């Protein structure tokens, strides 16, 4: 009798200790360990607060003004909401992003917000995060990994951006033209999507005579444009350029200026809508700038908190974007946040 009572006491104490040990606030539940709780739900659910959250943000680099604004958006949001942001800069190298994610898994962060530099090669590290019960939100660019390895993607519709750029060329050149493409980082969701959307909607009488990457940077775009100008005669061989981001556009403008080309001599459509892009429209270099919004911090933070609280979230959240034109660029320029 006495032994049975002691046994019962030991079992109750063990159960209580077990519950306390499993229930540290902010720790996500591994997949399947909570008897059907949504993946990534934290033990503080349904009352998790931002102060319970540690977000890992292995930023892909600092290659453009867009990226600088994106980083600032996450940093500002973390400060405002009061969550911890584990930030790193991978300098456009996938292996650096993978190492940063592994360090975050070791640290037991609540959530990983990953802006992938390229689309392929994420399966192994995403599986590691999944096995550790850490939810991943893919931010900005896309990945080719199995969607079961991450909870959601928040970012732009890159193919739509390419289609919007194609519509500008179709309008400008109803009788056809020859054009160049200055593409973004090879294998990145942004470059792949924009190139595919562009080609899908470009009229058959508009020919892309050459396409080279400038890796989304001003510095790398400059020599690419110089090489284009040595190979092709502007006006005769080509009449326009599709440029995958504003930073590369600004690098290209330097090369065009040095070659004596004037604003308006070529039809140039860029992507992003940064202040630099707006200035290029004001100065007459860009004839349209397709928006790509980098201010993703607030949306990603709210989704991360919802995941921790076990709330259902959408698998793909696309940013609402538009196209900007020179006619009101001067008026809008002072209102631009990036
Ligand atoms: O993935 C978004 C792209 O990456 C932006 O167009 C570009 O500026 C950035 O580097």
């Amino acid at each position: 009798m006495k032994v049975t009572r002691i046994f019962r006491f030991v079992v109750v104490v063990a159960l209580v200790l077990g519950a306390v040990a499993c229930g540290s606030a902010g720790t996500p539940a591994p997949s399947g360990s909570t008897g059907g709780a949504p993946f990534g739900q934290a033990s503080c659910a349904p009352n998790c607060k931002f102060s319970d959250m540690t977000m890992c943000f292995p930023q892909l680099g600092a290659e453009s003004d867009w990226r600088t604004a994106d980083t600032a958006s996450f940093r500002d949001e973390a400060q405002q909401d009061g969550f911890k942001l584990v930030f790193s800069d991978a300098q456009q190298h996938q292996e650096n992003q993978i190492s940063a994610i592994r360090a975050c898994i070791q640290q037991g962060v609540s959530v990983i917000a990953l802006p992938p530099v390229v689309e392929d090669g994420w399966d192994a590290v995403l599986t590691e995060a999944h096995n550790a019960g850490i939810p991943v939100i893919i931010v900005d660019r896309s990945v080719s990994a199995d969607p079961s390895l991450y909870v959601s993607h928040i970012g732009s519709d890159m193919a739509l951006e390419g289609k919007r750029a194609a519509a500008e060329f179709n309008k400008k050149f109803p009788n056809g033209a020859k054009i160049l493409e200055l593409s973004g980082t090879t294998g990145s969701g942004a470059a792949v999507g924009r190139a595919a959307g562009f080609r899908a909607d470009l009229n058959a009488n508009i020919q892309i005579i050459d396409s080279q990457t400038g890796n989304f940077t001003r510095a790398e775009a400059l020599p690419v444009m110089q090489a284009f100008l040595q190979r092709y005669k502007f006006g005769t061989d080509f009449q326009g350029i599709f440029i995958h981001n504003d930073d590369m556009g600004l690098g290209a403008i330097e090369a065009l200026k040095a070659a004596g080309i004037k604003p308006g001599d070529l039809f140039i459509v860029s992507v992003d809508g940064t202040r630099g892009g707006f200035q290029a429209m004001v100065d007459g270099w860009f004839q349209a700038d397709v928006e790509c919004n980098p201010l993703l911090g607030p949306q990603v933070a709210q989704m991360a908190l919802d995941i921790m609280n076990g709330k259902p979230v959408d698998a793909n959240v696309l940013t609402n974007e538009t196209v900007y034109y020179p006619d009101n660029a001067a008026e809008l320029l002072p209102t631009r946040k990036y």
Side-chain angles (χ1 to χ4, degrees):
M1 190 68 170
K2 202 175 169 194
V3 172
T4 316
R5 239 185 280 139
I6 290 170
F7 176 70
R8 260 198 226 128
F9 174 74
V10 169
V11 170
V12 169
V13 168
L15 284 173
V16 169
L17 285 178
V20 169
C22 292
S24 59
T27 308
S31 181
S33 71
T34 53
F39 182 76
Q41 174 177 300
S43 51
C44 49
N47 297 312
C48 300
K49 301 179 294 297
F50 279 119
S51 54
D52 297 315
M53 187 198 293
T54 299
M55 180 188 286
C56 174
F57 185 48
Q59 180 59 285
L60 69 86
E63 75 286 1
S64 61
D65 287 348
W66 188 102
R67 190 65 52 197
T68 305
D70 185 54
T71 294
S73 170
F74 278 81
R75 285 195 194 279
D76 292 351
E77 195 60 26
Q79 202 173 18
Q80 197 178 305
D81 294 340
F83 63 86
K84 189 170 175 227
L85 190 73
V86 181
F87 178 84
S88 50
D89 176 348
Q91 300 178 356
Q92 296 229 70
H93 293 298
Q94 184 179 34
E95 59 273 24
N96 292 345
Q97 285 196 292
I98 291 176
S99 302
I101 294 170
R102 292 204 166 117
C104 285
I105 295 172
Q106 284 288 316
Q107 205 179 316
V109 297
S110 328
V111 61
I112 297 168
L114 169 65
V117 62
V118 289
E119 283 190 305
D120 297 342
W122 297 103
D123 298 71
V125 77
L126 289 181
T127 302
E128 289 166 37
H130 195 267
N131 290 345
I134 300 175
V136 175
I137 303 171
I138 303 296
V139 177
D140 159 29
R141 304 177 185 174
S142 49
V143 291
S144 60
D146 192 302
S148 68
L149 296 175
Y150 55 90
V151 180
S152 182
H153 165 257
I154 295 185
S156 302
D157 185 337
M158 306 296 184
L160 180 60
E161 291 173 354
K163 284 169 178 279
R164 285 179 168 155
E168 299 304 322
F169 283 92
N170 294 343
K171 255 191 285 172
K172 172 70 184 173
F173 299 111
N175 300 320
K178 287 184 179 151
I179 62 170
L180 296 169
E181 181 181 42
L182 236 173
S183 163
T185 302
T186 307
S188 69
V192 171
R194 286 171 193 166
F198 189 66
R199 282 158 180 75
D201 278 21
L202 197 64
N203 285 346
N205 60 3
I206 302 177
Q207 192 193 342
I208 305 167
I209 59 164
D210 205 343
S211 173
Q212 300 292 332
T213 180
N215 205 19
F216 281 129
T217 71
R218 188 172 175 154
E220 285 170 84
L222 171 62
V224 174
M225 194 65 236
Q226 284 169 334
F228 274 153
L229 290 171
Q230 277 174 0
R231 217 172 306 146
Y232 309 106
K233 198 171 159 25
F234 98 91
T236 332
D237 291 343
F238 71 102
Q239 296 84 46
I241 322 170
F242 171 40
I243 305 182
H244 283 208
N245 84 339
D246 289 347
D247 283 75
M248 292 195 297
L250 300 184
I253 289 171
E254 283 181 49
L256 296 172
K257 274 185 189 166
I261 296 168
K262 301 272 175 301
D265 283 350
L266 288 164
F267 186 77
I268 302 177
V269 176
S270 181
V271 183
D272 275 356
T274 60
R275 283 193 206 104
F278 269 72
Q279 190 60 55
M281 286 196 283
V282 172
D283 295 342
W285 285 105
F286 293 175
Q287 276 68 50
D289 204 353
V290 178
E291 183 186 23
C292 180
N293 192 334
L295 307 178
L296 301 170
Q299 257 179 304
V300 173
Q302 186 54 54
M303 179 183 277
L305 188 64
D306 287 347
I307 293 167
M308 286 176 68
N309 277 321
K311 291 191 189 164
V313 297
D314 290 333
N316 195 20
V317 180
L318 295 175
T319 314
N320 243 339
E321 291 165 342
T322 185
V323 182
Y324 297 107
Y325 297 97
D327 54 356
N328 61 352
E331 186 192 324
L332 291 178
L333 181 53
T335 69
R336 298 300 295 161
K337 293 201 177 71
Y338 54 95

